[in-house]
Amino acid sequence: MRIRIEKRFDSPRWMDWGLPLIALLLAFGAGALLLAALGVSPLKAYAEMIRGALGDGYGLSETVVKAIPLALCGQAVALAFTMLVWNIGAEGQLVVGALAATAAVRFLPSENFLVMVTLMTAASALAGGLWGALAGWLKAKWSVNEIITTLMMNYIAILGLEYLVYGPWRDPTSLGFPLTPIFHEVARLPQFFGTRIHAGLFLALLTALLLRVVLRWSRWGYEIRVIGQNARAAAYAGMATSRHIVLVLFISGAVAGLAGMGEVAGLQGRLQPGFSVGYGFTAIIVAWLARLNPFAILAVSFLMGALLVGGDTLQVVMRLPLSSVQVLQGLILFFVLGGEFFRNYRLHFLKREGDA
Amino acid sequence: MDLLVPILAAAVRSGTPILYATLGEIITEKSGVMNLGIEGVMLVGALTGFGVTYHSASPWLGLAVAFGVGAALCAIHAFLCVTLGVNQVVCGLALTMFGTGASSLVGRSLVGETIEGMRAFPLPGLSEIPLLGPVLFNQDAMVYLSFGLVFLLWFFLLHTRPGLKLRAVGESPIAAAAAGISVPTVRWMATLFGGGLAALGGAYLSVVNSHMWVEQMTSGRGWIAVALVIFGIWHPLRSALGAYLFGGVGALQLRVQAAGTSIPAPLLLMLPYVLTVVVLTGISIRKGKGILLGAPAALGLPFHREDRD
Amino acid sequence: MTTASPLVDLRGITKTFLGVAANDSVDFDVRAGEVHALLGENGAGKSTLMNVLCGLYRPDEGRIFLSGEEVHFRTPRDAIAAGIDMVHQHFMLIPVQTVWENMILGQEDFGFILSKSAICRRIDELAGQYGLHVDPEAPVWQLSIGEQQRVAILRMLFREARVLVLDEPTAVLTPQEARQLFSTLRRMREEGHGVIFISHKLDEVAEISDRVTILRKGRKVGTVKTSGVGPEELAEMMIGSRVVPAVNKRAGGAGEAVFQARNISVLNDKDLQALHGLSLELRRGEILGLAGVDGNGQTELCEALVGLRPLVEGSLAFDGREMTGAPVRDFLSRDVRYIPADRRGTGLVPTMNLRENYALRHYWRDAFRKGPFMNWEAIAGQTGRIVERFDVVTPSLGVPVRMLSGGNLQKLMLARELDGDPRVVIAMQPTWGLDVGATAFVRERLLDVREKGAAILLVSEDLEELLALSDRLAVIHKGRIMGLLDDPRLATEEMLGLMMAGKPLASFGEGA
């Protein structure tokens, strides 16, 4: 018997949700093997994760808290990926957004809540946007590989953050800890239901809705999709690809920047290093798992949020490092990618004469 | 002179791990496979090299096992990208996530331990040459090995039959297949070998350079290696220069810091990353002026022999 | 020798792609010392059958016998080792590598470390023997298409193949070069090779082959001795009872010149100069034919004429208005339309549906927008109308166009480009790869817009098509116009061939 691989035009509908689901299960299965090899009971670990992330109101609310930046960054990278621009820099754009929001609080203080929030929002979106657009401009002008530039700019942004919180922006009363002073009350996003869920949630929902409408119905969204699916055809249609690259990376960066603002103004109330646990990278999984669909991204970020909260629980209860979550993330992505193969190809099992 | 020699020698030393990773990525990419998992593979290599050396007290064993584990890890990439033909960019990112996570998960117990590592081994005669001697020939064996590897790979790519095959597969897999070459086999081997070298680069960091294991100790060197492949236009000799340039910046920054400058450390640490962006931009501007580059034409594209569009 | 079993015998070969049988239990054999032609229209399954023979595809069903022994080719390596080799339509050479490197690709001899001098010596030897001269150290991308083909043929001999397959080898040659190729093929036949010659051109098949096998829609129609059949019979076997309908060239006087290109020079994708100060003008209600071997700057010219490729020098003018350097959208909005040869790569977005592909070239129009939004309703309406008018066969307007057949893809693209009121149409290879019905349909539609007063540039490799449709005919060679004939009927194939090979019209002199 031999296996023949055959390309196919369209995949059954169940695969849209079925394949990611199977991929998740397989990833957790593979993760279990790894944990068992390290002498940790995978059943216990997974039970703790589920309990921690979804078991009670607090866990659920924390899951939503983590899902907020994931959803925003997920939309950010998904928009770029739609155009086949590889923005791997959501993490850096998020950090720069947080820096800008902090700068707004520091240098443009206002007594008015609305004014302050508007300033923070604008500053973070603008900064994240410009951070992304710089890579976009380099790509548009000289086709500089954006994977490398956006990645390098992550490191630069994070080191910039360290420079500021260890240096000029450090709270003089922090006893040497690298923290900025706590934000004034008007510079805090409201939190709800007595949990840490903050107004960033609305930003995430709004962004999803907006991107859905823009991508599906607007002329600009149509252009983005054409460029992503066939760049030559886009030129043939007279679409200005380079301008779109800069603009898409600006918007992508701006959305990630908003996530950064949400973290400092909605959650932490101050700027400190390590405030992002790699949301910008996890967002890549979110986007891919959701197949770049803005609404699916919301659902998937909840799932990935649960994974992160579960990871926190593991750290506390089972003394496993947070990196176990990264292992799971990598595995999930592996299996999701493997699943795509079955979307595009069909396997035929052929019997050859004489094999019987 | 007194200042220059130690800095140049340090440049070679800190460039070496990047060089190994870059050479590996050149081989992988020449076959048409882009592996963005280098950063994760280097970390796994660093941990493996350190762990094995720690338990066996043999740095050579540590390095060899690191090579093997790196290659094995890249079998995932090869299977997904070569056999199944999935998106290579995303798969590489997944490999980096997995490698980063797995190395710090598995390496918990080794944090804080130290090993003997590898000593410098001045080459008799050669190390006496003024300037060049202390810079190039008063190093450890892995540095000498990397010198050899640069020339070996250059020769392999341009003047041997398997090297020709490798280039053909990366340029036009369909033409290579029609000439009777098994594209998947070549790409698998190139991916495994490239992964092995990347892991060796990581192991050099822990076993030879720092004698300890620290989480995420590669701090982006894997990504710099990916950029250096472009900088070196897929040519081993040029990439070596690039690796030492970046090593030099790293070494310089450490010295400036040690000399007690008023420039804050994070700003100095930014240097290599800023330099990567600047250098890459410079290269791309020249590419725009029509210089033919060595980029394999089929880089990043999956290949199935019986696909018809 | 011919009494022995054939060199290669294919029996009952079946191969399907996406559920469509490209070959349906086809039998085929070739003997030593013969040229066996494989005749059929584009898409009849000729290349598929040969890719099976050469181990590139594995058949779903069927058996292969080599001198009477059954063999299983798992990969091209097996076929090459068995002495079966092929020159593919696209040659399968590695452009950035040198001729000698291409020669030994996949070969296991000549050592681990390559001995260039030994390889080059062998190349020169073979080149002398067969009269196929090439520079072994030249990189392949620097060679002309004809030279590249020579390299590919030489490579088969270099690998000591006994069965030589040539897939549409004359498609890229001038008539003179084709004659040269035929004499090489005859020499191969004399040396006892089995030569398989794939073509869809009747006269060539009649000239070179001993036997001919005809394929139609993946099925074998029959194998006959070439000397025993006339071209009419072959044509009927190839396309069934249908015959290519003669084009009714309709009246429609050439009007004033509306579109001028003056002294334009452009670069190709490798930044090498593709056009050298070329000039031409298109007139209302007229088809200007452009003949030439593929790869002589035709694509670059078409792209330059519609604003897709920047001019290094020269100027473009439409209706007396300067268009040099104008963006693509300006050409579009003045109804300058373009039918590219590369349908899936440039002309359409295969993953998008029919509506989205119609929108590609029209979405900017006021009728199809609602402020910043697409007016999908209006777009769907218009797409439905053109699909009906051009008889595009599709399950719905919502399926990705990659699911359509080649002919329907081309009809869709044509329908889109000819929709509305085209003033200038740049059509590149508009009938390439289409069956007889679709070809006739496409030609009729081009004549329709000509009648309505459009100025048309028709780029084709098919001299018959050009002679049938053109009002004037130009020949391009290496980015220069070799000559412009005001009455194509006066052109002989000999003359066009020489012009395609680089002899300017002016040099033919008065007496010629």
Side-chain angles (χ1 to χ4, degrees), chain A residues 258-285:
Chain A
L258 286 178
M261 189 266 292
E263 291 308 287
V264 291
L267 207 57
Q268 317 265 358
R270 60 174 13 144
L271 188 64
Q272 53 188 325
F275 74 91
S276 167
V277 292
Y279 291 123
F281 295 110
T282 308
I284 296 164
I285 311 180

Short mmCIF file of all heavy atoms in Angstrom, two decimals, chain A residues 258-285:
data_model
loop_
_atom_site.label_atom_id
_atom_site.label_comp_id
_atom_site.label_asym_id
_atom_site.label_seq_id
_atom_site.Cartn_x
_atom_site.Cartn_y
_atom_site.Cartn_z
N LEU A 258 -2.51 50.25 22.04
CA LEU A 258 -3.68 50.39 22.92
C LEU A 258 -3.65 49.31 24.00
O LEU A 258 -4.00 49.56 25.17
CB LEU A 258 -4.97 50.26 22.12
CG LEU A 258 -5.33 51.46 21.24
CD1 LEU A 258 -6.60 51.17 20.47
CD2 LEU A 258 -5.50 52.71 22.10
N ALA A 259 -3.23 48.10 23.60
CA ALA A 259 -3.14 47.03 24.59
C ALA A 259 -2.17 47.42 25.70
O ALA A 259 -2.42 47.16 26.89
CB ALA A 259 -2.68 45.73 23.91
N GLY A 260 -1.08 48.08 25.31
CA GLY A 260 -0.10 48.51 26.31
C GLY A 260 -0.69 49.55 27.24
O GLY A 260 -0.49 49.51 28.47
N MET A 261 -1.48 50.47 26.68
CA MET A 261 -2.13 51.47 27.51
C MET A 261 -3.07 50.78 28.50
O MET A 261 -3.10 51.12 29.69
CB MET A 261 -2.90 52.44 26.61
CG MET A 261 -3.45 53.64 27.29
SD MET A 261 -5.16 53.47 27.84
CE MET A 261 -6.06 53.38 26.31
N GLY A 262 -3.82 49.79 28.02
CA GLY A 262 -4.74 49.06 28.90
C GLY A 262 -4.00 48.42 30.07
O GLY A 262 -4.49 48.44 31.20
N GLU A 263 -2.83 47.89 29.80
CA GLU A 263 -2.09 47.23 30.87
C GLU A 263 -1.64 48.21 31.94
O GLU A 263 -1.76 47.93 33.13
CB GLU A 263 -0.86 46.49 30.30
CG GLU A 263 -1.20 45.29 29.45
CD GLU A 263 -2.14 44.32 30.15
OE1 GLU A 263 -1.70 43.62 31.06
OE2 GLU A 263 -3.34 44.29 29.77
N VAL A 264 -1.11 49.37 31.54
CA VAL A 264 -0.63 50.29 32.57
C VAL A 264 -1.75 51.09 33.21
O VAL A 264 -1.78 51.27 34.43
CB VAL A 264 0.47 51.26 32.05
CG1 VAL A 264 1.74 50.50 31.75
CG2 VAL A 264 0.02 52.03 30.83
N ALA A 265 -2.72 51.55 32.38
CA ALA A 265 -3.74 52.42 32.93
C ALA A 265 -4.92 51.63 33.50
O ALA A 265 -5.59 52.09 34.42
CB ALA A 265 -4.24 53.39 31.86
N GLY A 266 -5.15 50.46 32.95
CA GLY A 266 -6.30 49.69 33.43
C GLY A 266 -5.92 48.74 34.54
O GLY A 266 -6.75 48.43 35.42
N LEU A 267 -4.70 48.22 34.49
CA LEU A 267 -4.36 47.11 35.37
C LEU A 267 -3.34 47.50 36.43
O LEU A 267 -3.61 47.48 37.62
CB LEU A 267 -3.81 45.98 34.50
CG LEU A 267 -3.99 44.58 35.04
CD1 LEU A 267 -5.46 44.29 35.28
CD2 LEU A 267 -3.39 43.60 34.05
N GLN A 268 -2.15 47.88 35.99
CA GLN A 268 -1.04 48.08 36.93
C GLN A 268 -1.10 49.43 37.61
O GLN A 268 -0.64 49.57 38.74
CB GLN A 268 0.30 47.97 36.17
CG GLN A 268 0.35 46.83 35.18
CD GLN A 268 0.99 45.61 35.77
OE1 GLN A 268 1.42 45.62 36.92
NE2 GLN A 268 1.05 44.53 35.00
N GLY A 269 -1.57 50.45 36.85
CA GLY A 269 -1.58 51.78 37.44
C GLY A 269 -0.21 52.42 37.46
O GLY A 269 -0.01 53.49 38.03
N ARG A 270 0.77 51.77 36.91
CA ARG A 270 2.12 52.33 36.83
C ARG A 270 2.89 51.53 35.80
O ARG A 270 2.41 50.51 35.33
CB ARG A 270 2.81 52.25 38.19
CG ARG A 270 2.91 50.82 38.65
CD ARG A 270 3.70 50.56 39.92
NE ARG A 270 4.06 51.68 40.72
CZ ARG A 270 4.11 51.63 42.05
NH1 ARG A 270 3.76 50.52 42.70
NH2 ARG A 270 4.51 52.66 42.73
N LEU A 271 4.06 52.02 35.47
CA LEU A 271 4.88 51.32 34.49
C LEU A 271 5.98 50.56 35.21
O LEU A 271 6.65 51.12 36.08
CB LEU A 271 5.49 52.33 33.51
CG LEU A 271 6.23 51.77 32.30
CD1 LEU A 271 5.29 51.01 31.39
CD2 LEU A 271 6.90 52.91 31.53
N GLN A 272 6.15 49.30 34.91
CA GLN A 272 7.26 48.55 35.47
C GLN A 272 7.71 47.50 34.47
O GLN A 272 6.95 47.08 33.62
CB GLN A 272 6.83 47.89 36.79
CG GLN A 272 5.57 47.06 36.64
CD GLN A 272 5.05 46.58 37.99
OE1 GLN A 272 5.84 46.28 38.88
NE2 GLN A 272 3.76 46.54 38.15
N PRO A 273 8.97 47.07 34.56
CA PRO A 273 9.46 46.10 33.58
C PRO A 273 8.75 44.76 33.73
O PRO A 273 8.27 44.42 34.81
CB PRO A 273 10.95 45.97 33.89
CG PRO A 273 11.17 46.58 35.22
CD PRO A 273 10.00 47.45 35.53
N GLY A 274 8.64 44.04 32.67
CA GLY A 274 8.02 42.73 32.73
C GLY A 274 6.51 42.77 32.89
O GLY A 274 5.90 41.77 33.24
N PHE A 275 5.90 43.95 32.61
CA PHE A 275 4.44 44.00 32.79
C PHE A 275 3.72 43.18 31.72
O PHE A 275 2.59 42.76 31.90
CB PHE A 275 3.95 45.46 32.77
CG PHE A 275 3.96 46.09 31.41
CD1 PHE A 275 2.83 46.01 30.60
CD2 PHE A 275 5.08 46.76 30.94
CE1 PHE A 275 2.82 46.58 29.35
CE2 PHE A 275 5.08 47.32 29.68
CZ PHE A 275 3.96 47.24 28.89
N SER A 276 4.41 42.95 30.60
CA SER A 276 3.80 42.10 29.58
C SER A 276 4.48 40.75 29.61
O SER A 276 5.70 40.65 29.57
CB SER A 276 3.99 42.72 28.19
OG SER A 276 3.67 41.77 27.21
N VAL A 277 3.68 39.69 29.72
CA VAL A 277 4.27 38.35 29.74
C VAL A 277 4.28 37.76 28.34
O VAL A 277 3.85 36.66 28.10
CB VAL A 277 3.49 37.41 30.69
CG1 VAL A 277 3.68 37.85 32.12
CG2 VAL A 277 2.00 37.39 30.34
N GLY A 278 4.78 38.56 27.40
CA GLY A 278 4.87 38.07 26.02
C GLY A 278 3.53 38.03 25.31
O GLY A 278 3.32 37.19 24.43
N TYR A 279 2.63 38.97 25.65
CA TYR A 279 1.32 39.00 24.98
C TYR A 279 1.48 39.11 23.47
O TYR A 279 0.75 38.50 22.70
CB TYR A 279 0.49 40.19 25.48
CG TYR A 279 0.04 40.05 26.90
CD1 TYR A 279 0.36 41.02 27.85
CD2 TYR A 279 -0.71 38.95 27.31
CE1 TYR A 279 -0.06 40.90 29.16
CE2 TYR A 279 -1.13 38.84 28.63
CZ TYR A 279 -0.79 39.81 29.56
OH TYR A 279 -1.19 39.69 30.85
N GLY A 280 2.46 39.93 23.06
CA GLY A 280 2.65 40.17 21.63
C GLY A 280 3.03 38.91 20.87
O GLY A 280 2.73 38.78 19.69
N PHE A 281 3.73 37.99 21.55
CA PHE A 281 4.11 36.74 20.89
C PHE A 281 2.95 35.74 20.91
O PHE A 281 2.66 35.10 19.92
CB PHE A 281 5.35 36.13 21.57
CG PHE A 281 6.56 36.99 21.42
CD1 PHE A 281 7.10 37.66 22.50
CD2 PHE A 281 7.16 37.14 20.18
CE1 PHE A 281 8.21 38.46 22.35
CE2 PHE A 281 8.28 37.93 20.03
CZ PHE A 281 8.80 38.60 21.12
N THR A 282 2.31 35.64 22.09
CA THR A 282 1.17 34.74 22.19
C THR A 282 0.10 35.13 21.17
O THR A 282 -0.63 34.29 20.65
CB THR A 282 0.60 34.77 23.61
OG1 THR A 282 1.67 34.53 24.52
CG2 THR A 282 -0.48 33.73 23.80
N ALA A 283 0.04 36.44 20.88
CA ALA A 283 -0.96 36.93 19.94
C ALA A 283 -0.81 36.27 18.56
O ALA A 283 -1.78 36.11 17.83
CB ALA A 283 -0.83 38.45 19.79
N ILE A 284 0.42 35.89 18.24
CA ILE A 284 0.64 35.24 16.94
C ILE A 284 -0.11 33.90 16.90
O ILE A 284 -0.74 33.56 15.91
CB ILE A 284 2.14 35.03 16.69
CG1 ILE A 284 2.82 36.39 16.60
CG2 ILE A 284 2.39 34.21 15.44
CD1 ILE A 284 4.31 36.34 16.74
N ILE A 285 -0.07 33.17 18.02
CA ILE A 285 -0.83 31.92 18.09
C ILE A 285 -2.31 32.22 18.01
O ILE A 285 -3.06 31.53 17.32
CB ILE A 285 -0.57 31.19 19.42
CG1 ILE A 285 0.91 31.10 19.67
CG2 ILE A 285 -1.21 29.82 19.42
CD1 ILE A 285 1.24 30.40 20.93
#
